[in-house]
Amino acid sequence: MSFVILATIMVIAALGLLFARKPVHAALSLAVVMVCLAMVYATLEAPFLFAVQIVVYTGAILMLFLFVIMLVGVDTSDTLKETIAGQKVLAGVLGVGLGAILIAGVGQASIATMRGLSSANEGGNVQRLADLLFSRYVIAFEATSALLITAAIGAMVLAHRERIDPKQTQTGLAQKRVADYAASGKHLGPLPPPGTFARHNSNDTPALLPDGSQSKKSVPAILAGGVSNGSNDVEGDDA
Amino acid sequence: MNGLEQFGQDPWWIIAIKVLLVFVVCVVLTLFNIWWERKVVARMQHRIGPNRHGPFGLLQSLADGVKLALKEDLTPQKADKIVFVTAPILACVPAFVTFSVIPFGPEVDFFGERTPLQLTDMPVAVLFVMAIASIGIYGIVLGGWASGSTYSLLGGLRSSAQMISYEVSMGLALVTVFLMAGSLSTSEIVAAQHDWWFGALLLPSFLIYCIAMVGETNRAPFDLPEAEGELVGGFHTEYSSLKFALFFLAEYINMATVSALATTLFLGGWRAPLGIGTLWAGANEGYWPVLWFFLKMFFFIWIFIWLRGTLPRLRYDQFMALGWKILLPASLAWIVVVAIIKMAAIQGDFSPSWILFGFGLVVTAVVVLGFLNRMPEKAPQVTKPTGGYPTPALPQGGAVRGAAQPLVFGPDAVQPGSSGVRIISSPEDELSEDALPEEAK
């Protein structure tokens, strides 16, 4: 029963993955498939795999996918233009081939009730898994982890860049600002935000200075009509 | 009490009552925590805080909740409608679900049935909490993306990066607990803390977890996803009305969840605090453990509030450096130490408790002392007023100490000259901000 519900949701989500126009919607459909897969594991009495599936695939890997896709922007959607010549035909042929293999494979399997679950989970699911991983499959386990670490180090090496100039610290930047002030009188602090102590807070309302005059520096140059930020404050001039 | 066998035996109506109770506890806790936070922060800032609605202002959060629900629900034009609506639900539901594996007490007499005070438990309960929490992140990230606003997007990105980074340290801090308890189920971890709380036995793990849980819940000083100085409201900038209320609810339930998890994993769960259990045998039976559990949980929530009232927000790179370069290697090293000590204890047939406790204490002391030593000693900076800017008058007789004075209304209330802003208006002080640059030119 639970399989029927989960399978329905999974198939719908998988179709959504294929047909969604926005990449984020596709990634979300994939997330639904992953979570449903985890629930299938839970119904098959594999609680550890259930938790790990969600933590690793949904929580970490797919989140990184989303991270990249989101930076592309909200409005981008897939174009139907072929970038590789003959891509559609090739994809169709390979898809039909894969489908044929899957149908042949699944058709061979005999579907009956699950067997051996109780003996496999004897003494606790987590404990039995740990027993297997650290005795019979220890070499495969260690090889996989070595492979993953190699991949991580490879990514770091590819992304690594030698620092040419020294790293700027907060102290260094502050000292530089003070030195600039001493040398050329460049204003030390941040510019006054628009609308400070004024009656409006729109971006083109200049801030009021303590003496009641207006600070033109507080209005972005482009709003003030191309007047550069270095100009003096003019009393009564409402930009 | 025989492990996980006791779960999944309840009749349906008991399960229904338990589900309802978990929901009610989560919502009431949220209302209470908001009130408590406002009250405590107000005390820390010499204010009084909410005191109008109900006794001690307790109904303030209820009134605010109703007001929030009745506000206009805005959807930005550029928003992705479906995801925009789904996101708050996605943030809120996992927050409730994680509470289902928290043990509030031992087996009790519950409307005539023997049942543990816990909705359910499973062999991987703690991992389950981590997994569900990672789904909750989706709500925040998608809410940030779907709003179609740059501030929201940046807030969402920050929160996902932050939660992934701190979930790693958090998970590694939990590994030592699993090593010592020999189980991942919450009820068995509580049972394993019969003699020693893991908070004492695994002090470094406890501290790492405490830091990571603040990062995980986006709370100050790690509330970079909603840094109002830079991102307006972060991921929830564009949200209003009930959708915003759901995000708010999720944040406070998550705070309660990590506190409850910290209680369960490190402070002995529902077990009576030190000593009471030995003096009074009934302290760990019946419904008393619920009291101990909530006392410990409120201790953690109080720490959350205290941190918020005390610490300024971290810079983003410092925050990431803390997570990846300090907490992560530290927890890895500590796991190795715990594994070695535990293995040696099994081989040599002795109890590892005192060795672990001493080792953890020494390591923590060295780290804390090293940190204190690194602080540069600064002479107090004395600055003379330069004039030209309005300088606020300092309170007479130095800094204010103690609680705030209650508000008094009426003609006698105003005491002129005791406070307020002083504006210097002598002629030589009327310098415009450009006076100096002109001289320099």
Side-chain angles (χ1 to χ4, degrees):
Chain A
M1 182 61 196
S2 57
F3 175 76
V4 174
I5 300 171
L6 287 171
T8 317
I9 301 174
M10 270 166 96
V11 169
I12 294 172
L15 289 176
L17 169 63
L18 286 178
F19 295 112
R21 298 298 292 273
K22 284 186 180 174
V24 170
H25 291 175
L28 278 183
S29 311
L30 189 58
V32 174
V33 175
M34 298 265 197
V35 172
C36 289
L37 191 60
M39 288 178 182
V40 171
Y41 290 146
T43 58
L44 290 175
E45 292 185 37
F48 186 75
L49 204 54
F50 154 74
V52 167
Q53 165 82 17
I54 294 186
V55 171
V56 174
Y57 282 96
T58 322
I61 295 180
L62 206 63
M63 188 58 86
L64 289 180
F65 273 29
L66 260 186
F67 215 89
V68 176
I69 293 169
M70 274 174 19
L71 287 176
V72 174
V74 183
D75 300 324
T76 48
S77 59
D78 282 347
T79 54
L80 291 173
K81 196 168 156 269
E82 273 187 302
T83 43
I84 306 169
Q87 194 183 5
K88 274 183 190 168
V89 181
L90 208 60
V93 170
L94 288 178
V96 170
L98 182 67
I101 292 173
L102 280 178
I103 290 170
V106 175
Q108 299 262 321
S110 63
I111 296 165
T113 50
M114 292 162 286
R115 272 174 297 176
L117 262 184
S118 52
S119 64
N121 274 342
E122 205 176 351
N125 176 261
V126 182
Q127 284 84 348
R128 286 306 298 264
L129 264 180
D131 271 350
L132 280 179
L133 274 185
F134 290 102
S135 59
R136 192 167 157 194
Y137 298 108
V138 68
I139 293 176
F141 181 70
E142 293 296 333
T144 315
S145 55
L147 207 63
L148 287 175
I149 290 173
T150 316
I153 291 175
M156 280 197 262
V157 168
L158 286 177
H160 183 69
R161 183 175 60 89
E162 286 294 334
R163 184 178 284 282
I164 303 165
D165 41 339
K167 190 179 180 183
Q168 286 185 314
T169 61
Q170 211 164 355
T171 326
L173 287 171
Q175 280 165 349
K176 188 170 170 296
R177 275 198 293 273
V178 175
D180 282 353
Y181 174 68
S184 66
K186 196 179 162 203
H187 185 59
L188 262 179
L191 295 175
T196 310
F197 298 125
R199 266 191 264 171
H200 303 279
N201 60 1
S202 78
N203 251 11
D204 62 349
T205 310
L208 291 182
L209 292 173
D211 58 355
S213 64
Q214 293 171 337
S215 167
K216 273 211 164 173
K217 274 183 180 176
S218 66
V219 181
I222 197 152
L223 289 180
V227 185
S228 75
N229 267 348
S231 70
N232 295 331
D233 294 310
V234 183
E235 255 179 283
D237 184 0
D238 204 11
Chain B
M1 173 106 8
N2 42 4
L4 289 170
E5 308 278 301
Q6 55 183 336
F7 294 97
Q9 316 288 339
D10 300 328
W12 68 268
W13 57 272
I14 284 206
I15 297 176
I17 294 176
K18 279 184 179 177
V19 169
L20 190 70
L21 273 180
V22 166
F23 180 77
V24 169
V25 162
C26 283
V27 174
V28 173
L29 262 182
T30 302
L31 292 180
F32 177 78
N33 284 342
I34 293 172
W35 169 83
W36 197 31
E37 171 162 24
R38 292 179 64 177
K39 208 73 180 166
V40 172
V41 170
R43 289 282 291 195
M44 287 177 176
Q45 297 169 347
H46 302 289
R47 295 183 287 111
I48 292 171
N51 63 347
R52 294 279 124 186
H53 303 292
F56 311 108
L58 264 169
L59 297 180
Q60 180 67 45
S61 355
L62 194 65
D64 283 347
V66 172
K67 187 192 81 172
L68 203 52
L70 294 176
K71 279 188 167 183
E72 186 186 359
D73 196 3
L74 297 168
T75 308
Q77 213 168 21
K78 281 180 80 180
D80 187 312
K81 299 281 181 313
I82 305 169
V83 183
F84 189 76
V85 176
T86 321
I89 304 169
L90 215 50
C92 202
V93 172
F96 281 104
V97 173
T98 43
F99 244 89
S100 60
V101 291
I102 303 290
F104 292 96
E107 236 183 9
V108 292
D109 192 14
F110 194 74
F111 295 106
E113 300 267 346
R114 293 293 293 176
T115 178
L117 270 181
Q118 180 177 1
L119 178 56
T120 184
D121 199 1
M122 49 184 101
V124 289
V126 181
L127 272 187
F128 172 77
V129 174
M130 305 279 288
I132 299 298
S134 72
I135 291 181
I137 305 176
Y138 271 85
I140 290 173
V141 175
L142 291 175
W145 172 79
S147 301
S149 143
T150 315
Y151 290 132
S152 305
L153 181 66
L154 288 175
L157 283 177
R158 274 190 180 187
S159 86
S160 62
Q162 168 172 343
M163 286 170 134
I164 290 174
S165 316
Y166 275 69
E167 210 170 64
V168 178
S169 325
M170 194 183 219
L172 287 177
L174 298 183
V175 167
T176 51
V177 174
F178 303 153
L179 274 180
M180 292 311 292
S183 171
L184 273 69
S185 106
T186 43
S187 61
E188 283 174 9
I189 288 174
V190 172
Q193 299 180 70
H194 188 267
D195 299 321
W196 278 82
W197 288 1
F198 288 149
L201 212 54
L202 308 165
L203 193 60
S205 289
F206 179 45
L207 295 179
I208 289 169
Y209 180 87
C210 284
I211 297 171
M213 77 181 186
V214 182
E216 179 81 4
T217 44
N218 293 334
R219 292 275 309 179
F222 299 154
D223 56 346
L224 298 136
E226 35 195 306
E228 54 276 291
E230 307 147 36
L231 297 178
V232 189
F235 60 89
H236 57 60
T237 305
E238 307 293 341
Y239 279 93
S240 56
S241 188
L242 262 184
K243 296 201 198 86
F244 174 75
L246 285 183
F247 274 126
F248 210 68
L249 186 67
E251 185 190 325
Y252 275 83
I253 297 177
N254 280 333
M255 197 167 99
T257 308
V258 288
S259 303
L261 203 62
T263 305
T264 306
L265 298 182
F266 292 104
L267 292 195
W270 43 261
R271 293 191 174 281
L274 290 169
I276 298 181
T278 48
L279 292 177
W280 170 38
N284 282 327
E285 281 162 27
Y287 284 92
W288 283 107
V290 179
L291 176 70
W292 314 132
F293 178 84
F294 277 104
L295 280 181
K296 291 174 191 174
M297 201 176 106
F298 283 132
F299 165 71
F300 280 108
I301 291 173
W302 185 73
I303 287 186
F304 269 112
I305 299 171
W306 188 15
L307 286 177
R308 188 200 149 177
T310 312
L311 293 177
R313 189 176 294 128
L314 258 76
R315 213 172 60 203
Y316 199 69
D317 59 328
Q318 293 170 335
F319 172 70
M320 280 294 162
L322 174 71
W324 288 104
K325 294 181 186 164
I326 298 177
L327 293 186
L328 190 61
S331 22
L332 278 175
W334 177 243
I335 289 173
V336 174
V337 170
V338 171
I340 290 172
I341 292 180
K342 169 131 199 202
M343 203 59 212
I346 292 173
Q347 301 281 336
D349 203 21
F350 60 90
S351 165
S353 302
W354 282 102
I355 300 174
L356 269 176
F357 175 63
F359 205 88
L361 205 63
V362 169
V363 168
T364 313
V366 166
V367 169
V368 170
L369 286 178
F371 184 69
L372 289 179
N373 198 27
R374 242 178 50 181
M375 295 282 181
E377 280 186 24
K378 280 182 191 162
Q381 290 188 334
V382 183
T383 48
K384 285 178 188 170
T386 51
Y389 290 97
T391 34
L394 286 172
Q396 288 176 343
V400 182
R401 296 196 182 278
Q405 295 295 314
L407 285 178
V408 187
F409 298 101
D412 312 330
V414 185
Q415 291 177 336
S418 66
S419 65
V421 174
R422 176 170 50 100
I423 294 179
I424 302 161
S425 59
S426 57
E428 66 266 24
D429 286 341
E430 281 181 359
L431 298 169
S432 78
E433 59 170 358
D434 282 335
L436 269 168
E438 269 178 7
E439 281 164 19
K441 280 170 204 162

